[in-house]
Amino acid sequence: MSSFQSYVICTSPRSGSTLLCRLLAATGVAGRPASLFHEPSLDDWRERFGLASDAGRDERQALAEIFVSALERGRGGTSIFGLRLQRHSFGFFREKLAILHPHRHGDLARLEAAFGPTLFIHLTRADKAAQAVSYVKAQQSGLWHRASDGTELERLSPPREPVYDAALLRSTHDTMTTADREWEAWFAEQGIAPLRLTYEALSADPSAALRRVLEALGLDPAPAANAVPDVARLADATNRDWTERLRSELGLA
């Protein structure tokens, strides 16, 4: 039996978190992790869980209702709650967690008051140039994820031909690098020793990465043996060309 009641995937965009979330959900024993608090907005949180907005309601009561709904969604009928947190929305999440649990001191104590004993997973991408290229190209093309059968899983805007934007790529590279540093600083501040995974290891051997997570959670790792990624890589010749060019411009070649 797992000693954890929850896990949080601490990450930044284009680090393989969608693949990891879908693999974990497919086991049927490790919750249904997702970005349940993705947007820094209470209205967005209420809409996500189908909750009515009540301007006169006490904020703490509203947050309690939101978190109850999040727990149900993230458990997905299992005994483990899974959550993905992106760095850009973490500050707002921390603020609301402090309102929900004002008598707990520190983020870790508040997170565990909300979700129980928690395993933290730091999912990073070592190649920040490739990560920046992946993010900017997805923004421009509108296509964020494709299924292994070739169908589109997530499109956020109409198709558009991507164009190399040196300034945007450099700033995105800096943003992704800063996100990693901020997660590391937060782990140190809270005394957390996270399970560390990389995009590179996950994409090279999804079954092995999934097995590591299941074992860390104290769950049967057997489902990892049959893990079949249902998310296809979007990287193509354009990604490779842009990444080489960006590395050169950043002095990383």
Side-chain angles (χ1 to χ4, degrees):
M1 184 175 181
S2 176
S3 59
F4 294 103
Q5 294 177 16
S6 69
Y7 60 89
V8 177
I9 302 170
C10 303
T11 190
S12 57
R14 315 310 287 175
S15 290
S17 61
T18 295
L19 171 58
L20 181 58
C21 285
R22 293 176 72 91
L23 287 171
L24 284 161
T27 67
V29 297
R32 194 171 185 82
S35 294
L36 302 175
F37 303 99
H38 187 64
E39 295 298 332
S41 162
L42 280 185
D43 287 339
D44 181 84
W45 294 3
R46 290 190 188 96
E47 182 179 350
R48 180 178 297 274
F49 301 117
L51 302 174
S53 178
D54 184 354
R57 176 183 287 185
D58 174 80
E59 184 175 11
R60 190 178 175 194
Q61 291 178 332
L63 285 167
E65 186 177 22
I66 288 169
F67 273 71
V68 167
S69 296
L71 278 166
E72 182 178 4
R73 183 81 60 87
R75 285 179 179 138
T78 73
S79 61
I80 299 286
F81 170 74
L83 175 65
R84 172 173 56 185
L85 284 177
Q86 301 283 5
R87 189 67 204 181
H88 80 274
S89 57
F90 186 59
F92 183 83
F93 176 80
R94 291 172 72 184
E95 290 175 9
K96 300 309 174 187
L97 200 58
I99 293 171
L100 181 60
H101 295 287
H103 303 300
R104 297 297 182 100
H105 299 289
D107 296 333
L108 177 57
R110 291 167 183 153
L111 274 159
E112 296 201 328
F115 305 134
T118 302
L119 172 70
F120 294 88
I121 301 166
H122 191 198
L123 177 61
T124 63
R125 188 165 182 168
D127 190 340
K128 287 289 179 287
Q131 185 178 1
V133 165
S134 178
Y135 185 80
V136 170
K137 186 163 170 277
Q139 276 189 319
Q140 292 185 347
S141 69
L143 180 61
W144 288 84
H145 297 102
R146 190 189 299 279
S148 54
D149 63 3
T151 59
E152 293 185 358
L153 277 178
E154 184 180 19
R155 172 175 288 283
L156 299 183
S157 61
R160 184 163 63 97
E161 191 68 24
V163 178
Y164 190 90
D165 185 329
L168 179 58
L169 285 162
R170 284 195 297 271
S171 67
T172 302
H173 177 276
D174 291 346
T175 297
M176 300 303 183
T177 301
T178 298
D180 270 8
R181 290 173 180 165
E182 290 178 343
W183 278 126
E184 290 290 2
W186 182 74
F187 293 139
E189 171 192 297
Q190 299 296 316
I192 294 169
L195 174 67
R196 300 183 184 280
L197 294 176
T198 66
Y199 167 90
E200 288 78 7
L202 174 62
S203 59
D205 194 340
S207 293
L210 178 60
R211 184 182 186 89
R212 282 192 64 202
V213 176
L214 293 175
E215 287 178 338
L217 285 168
L219 297 172
D220 181 4
N226 301 315
V228 178
D230 64 351
V231 180
R233 296 185 187 184
L234 290 179
D236 55 17
T238 298
N239 290 70
R240 292 189 291 274
D241 291 345
W242 284 18
T243 300
E244 289 179 10
R245 183 174 171 182
L246 179 59
R247 285 192 190 121
S248 178
E249 291 173 356
L250 292 171
L252 301 175

